[in-house]
Amino acid sequence: MTEDSFSLSGKVAVVTGASRGLGQFFSRALARAGADLVITSRRVADLKPFAEKIKGMGRQVFPLELDVRRTESIQKTADVAWEHFGKIDILINNAGCNVRKPALDITSDDWNLVLETNLRGTFFVAQAFARHMVKRGYGRIINIGSVTSVFGYAGIAPYCASRGGIKQLTMSLADEWGKFGVTVNCLAPGWFHTEQNDVLYQNQKWVEYITDRIPLKRPGQPEDLGGAAVFLASDVSGYITGQTLLVDGGISTGATRATA
Ligand SMILES: NC(=O)c1ccc[n+]([C@@H]2O[C@H](COP(=O)([O-])OP(=O)(O)OC[C@H]3O[C@@H](n4cnc5c(N)ncnc54)[C@H](OP(=O)(O)O)[C@@H]3O)[C@@H](O)[C@H]2O)c1
């Protein structure tokens, strides 16, 4: 290993769902490590201000429209991205959504929205880029999971089902594409303050509750995710595939205490 082992200089990464939140945390971390970027959102105009920031970091950036529920358009988007840079080394499969409702109130539309975006979207985006990566014999696919990939929580049943599915999907794809030089891992964040979780962070009681249960005694900050993303995207993680890496301050060590 050299001091450059974590460098992403000369690499090209795609980050889906980069119009806000974690997608921007991941994009900044990869750009800081040297990667050029393809960033996506359902409305390309929403990417423009962030694209300027990435350019300001001295990186090339290509904003693209992508709705991960429109499976028929995903391959075309992957082809356009590949053609633009001539290769894609890294995919961060981050686009996602949530519906917060008691399980008894979930409709089939709620279920379809969450599962189609998070699980089906993750699969077909991975497939579209992997078609190129497999041919080239190199790729780093990072599917975004969650603590809900390994634990179930009341009030977000479809979301937990989708994130658990992503963990399992990651293992299957890793098994299938490893022989082509493509690694597939799952990066599973804890509870970060983004638009998706704003409703939780508005509630001071919840913030105190969750902070108390996190062994490191603080909610996650954007920079807490960067290291794990760069690690899984870089060549140093070349012998790691099919794994789920929790970046959650340790909350997944257990939510209850065994001592009084
Ligand atoms: N925040 C957390 O603590 C946390 C923890 C674990 C996992 N996650 C997961 O990490 C991902 C990002 O989370 P976040 O908190 O940053 O969420 P967010 O603030 O709600 O952002 C979601 C992103 O996904 C994109 N998106 C949503 N539906 C899409 C679709 N159909 N097609 C394409 N893009 C779509 C959105 O882009 P547009 O609306 O511009 O299209 C946006 O950029 C999500 O998958 C989330 O479930 C979040």
Side-chain angles (χ1 to χ4, degrees), residues 5-6 47 59 99-100 158 214 227 242:
S5 297
F6 288 88
L47 293 167
R59 305 287 170 247
V99 171
R100 295 171 193 281
I214 297 172

Side-chain angles (χ1 to χ4, degrees), residues 17-23 41-43 46 66-69 94-96 117 144-146 159 163 189-192 194-197:
S19 57
R20 57 181 182 270
L22 301 194
S41 145
R42 282 169 293 183
R43 287 164 300 275
D46 293 352
L66 174 65
D67 183 338
V68 302
R69 291 182 78 193
N94 166 75
T117 308
I144 300 307
S146 155
Y159 185 81
R163 296 287 157 204
W191 305 93
F192 287 74
T194 60
E195 197 171 304
Q196 195 176 105
N197 281 343

